[in-house]
Structures are given as structure tokens and as C-alpha cells.
Amino acid sequence: MSQPVAKVVQTPAPEPLDAGAKLIQTLAGKVATLRKQRGLSRRVLSEMSGVSPRYLAQLEAGEGNISVLLLQRVASALDVRIEALLTEQTPLDHDVLRVAALYHQAPEEVQQQVCSMLAPQNPRLLRAGRICLIGLRGAGKSTLGARAGEALGIPFVELNREIEEAADMPLPEVMAFYGEVGYRKMEAEALERVSARHDRMVLAVAGGIVTEEDTFAHLLERFHTVWIRTSPAEHMQRVRGQGDHRPMQGNPAAMAHLKDLLQARTPLYARADAQVDTANRTVGSSLNTLLAAVAKHQFLETGR
């Protein structure tokens, strides 16, 4: 007579926590850990915060949905900022918070000096999240930059558009009114503004920015750079395709000039962290190469 076969009962895998449940779990762990680190009983913490011991017990068990006002009381009693209870990261100590406050109150030039002093300690951290496309006009910076920003879910900014908005006039008028020197000054100021405004972004800049030593140094310090390049013939063809016939009209030596310009700037463009050659390639193919370079070099990673 055959023996009955025992049935194997499989325990279902626990469902993953949703964002709200994970936040409550993080909050519970942080409150319990900080309370114990400070040697406080729930009763003492209750007296300091004005939150009942029963409510604190529910909070530490991940069973209580505490209001923001009560949570602020608990944070104050534990001598931490309220955001320290809502993140898995180690809370900043008081000295770091004081330095941060001093930095925010300091003039812009002092902030730049501080960043320049700290950058050599971890240069990738200062650039993390920011990507800048450099190269001659017509290589595809604007097209690829806009599509890369959309694909990566981060803002795309053209520095010349930033200059136009600040000057309240189109770029040709900026050049006519302020001249080359004035334009370069506005370019440097615009670069500083967008660096301060965005922690994560894709930026496209004019081809000549690499010839301005200080501005280019600031760019390399604050951004991961990608040289978008193509052949001289495609440079010229794309510029004309944008409706600008100036490079060819009345200038039969335009192609030779373009080649000389590209040759002179190649050592500067080559300082970029990565390169994407768009010659004889579709926009989709070039975009895939750009996104692959971003992933390979971990341009959007922080803390590296």
C-alpha cells in the first residue's frame, strides 16, 4: 500500500512595500535608533516632546501615522532636523549644518572659492548629475541634448537661450550691441546661473566657449562633458539646413576656414569625458550612443 504524498505548502513571498509603507518603516527605525543613541526612555522623550508614550511606541513600531507638527516636536526633542527622520541616510551633524548655513549666506564669489577648494577632494561629486555637450555648431548638440534630457528625465538647457532671456534680445542683437567681449562675459554669468539652478541637467553650449580659459575651466569643474562631433561637410550642411547661409555666401574659403577652426579646437574638445560622432548617423543612433556613454561613465551617479 503506497504512502500518501505530503503536500508541500509554499509560503507566498511578502509583497514589496509601497512608498508610503517604506517611509513609515524608515521613520520608525530612525526614531527608535536616535532615542536609544541619546539614552532616552520613551517616557523621557514623551515629556520632552509632548507626544504620549503610547503614540511614541506606535511610531517606533511603524503603526502610527504621525502628524507633521507632532513629528517636528519629536525631531526637536531628539535634537535633529525633521528631514533626518525621513531619510535612510545618516543625518548631518551640527558642524556640517553650520558650514552649510555659512555657505548659503556667503557672497557668490566666496561660494565659488569654497567649491573650487573642495572639488579636488572629489571632483566627480561636484559634476555629478550635470552633463554638458560641447562641439562646433552643426554637430547636433541641441537636437541630441533635447532628446537626451527627455530620455533621462532631466532638464535640457541651451546656454545661448539663457543669454537671450537675460539680455531680453535675440543672440544676433546681443552680439551687435555688446560685442564679442560682452557676449563672453554674459556667457560666463549664464553658466554660473544654470550651474547654481540645476543639480541634474543636460546643457548645450556654443562652440567657442572652450577658447575662454576661465569659463571652460568652470565648465569642466561643474559638468561631465561630451564632445559631439561630425565631419566638416556635415557641420556646413547642417548649419545651412538651419537656414543660416552665411558660412558659404561670399566666402569661397569657408570650408577651409571651418577645417582650420576644427583643427585648432580639437585639443580643447578632446578634454571632454566622452565623445559621440554623429557623422553619417541617424539622430536615434547618435542618441543611443550618447545615452550609453552617460551610463558607462555614470554621469548621473552621485557620491562617487
Side-chain angles (χ1 to χ4, degrees), residues 38-292:
R38 283 152 177 74
L40 302 175
S41 66
R42 287 203 191 102
R43 184 176 300 279
V44 172
L45 181 57
S46 172
E47 294 173 355
M48 294 172 64
S49 64
V51 178
S52 71
R54 181 179 178 182
Y55 207 90
L56 288 173
Q58 291 178 334
L59 179 62
E60 292 186 7
E63 299 172 355
N65 294 322
I66 191 169
S67 71
V68 175
L69 293 177
L70 292 181
L71 185 59
Q72 178 61 61
R73 292 184 191 175
V74 173
S76 297
L78 292 172
D79 197 24
V80 296
R81 296 167 67 93
I82 188 172
E83 55 265 34
L85 301 178
L86 301 172
T87 176
E88 296 179 357
Q89 298 178 349
T90 302
L92 301 177
D93 61 30
H94 292 292
D95 286 338
V96 174
L97 293 174
R98 289 192 186 99
V99 171
L102 289 171
Y103 176 85
H104 286 296
Q105 296 169 9
E108 184 176 304
E109 59 270 19
V110 174
Q111 293 179 350
Q112 293 181 21
Q113 292 174 11
V114 171
C115 289
S116 297
M117 292 173 63
L118 294 177
Q121 306 303 316
N122 191 347
R124 285 187 60 87
L125 183 58
L126 188 59
R127 300 193 299 266
R130 300 194 194 101
I131 303 165
C132 180
L133 309 184
I134 63 175
L136 284 180
R137 183 182 176 187
K141 293 173 295 184
S142 298
T143 300
L144 290 179
R147 297 203 180 189
E150 182 178 359
L152 296 170
I154 57 179
F156 167 65
V157 177
E158 286 192 83
L159 199 62
N160 276 344
R161 301 291 83 79
E162 179 76 20
I163 295 171
E164 289 180 328
E165 291 180 10
D168 196 24
M169 63 179 70
L171 197 63
E173 293 183 21
V174 172
M175 297 297 296
F177 190 81
Y178 293 98
E180 180 73 16
V181 174
Y183 166 76
R184 292 303 176 189
K185 182 176 183 296
M186 296 176 72
E187 182 180 57
E189 293 170 348
L191 181 63
E192 180 62 37
R193 284 196 303 275
V194 298
S195 300
R197 187 187 309 149
H198 299 285
D199 287 330
R200 295 165 67 83
M201 67 180 300
V202 178
L203 178 70
V205 296
I209 197 171
V210 297
T211 63
E212 298 298 310
E213 184 175 352
D214 291 341
T215 307
F216 190 37
H218 176 76
L219 178 65
L220 293 174
E221 179 183 80
R222 299 295 182 89
F223 289 82
H224 294 293
T225 49
V226 182
W227 177 15
I228 308 298
R229 57 188 302 180
T230 190
S231 65
E234 289 206 40
H235 272 296
M236 192 69 72
Q237 180 183 353
R238 291 172 184 173
V239 170
R240 296 188 65 190
Q242 295 169 5
D244 189 350
H245 298 278
R246 291 173 299 170
M248 296 297 288
Q249 288 180 344
N251 186 8
M255 181 59 75
H257 173 71
L258 176 61
K259 290 180 179 179
D260 290 343
L261 185 63
L262 183 58
Q263 182 177 7
R265 290 182 181 172
T266 289
L268 297 173
Y269 292 143
R271 295 176 65 183
D273 301 298
Q275 300 182 19
V276 174
D277 193 336
T278 65
N280 299 314
R281 298 180 63 188
T282 64
V283 173
S285 175
S286 298
L287 176 61
N288 288 337
T289 301
L290 174 57
L291 295 178

Side-chain angles (χ1 to χ4, degrees), residues 9-15:
V9 180
Q10 294 183 343
T11 303
E15 295 184 3

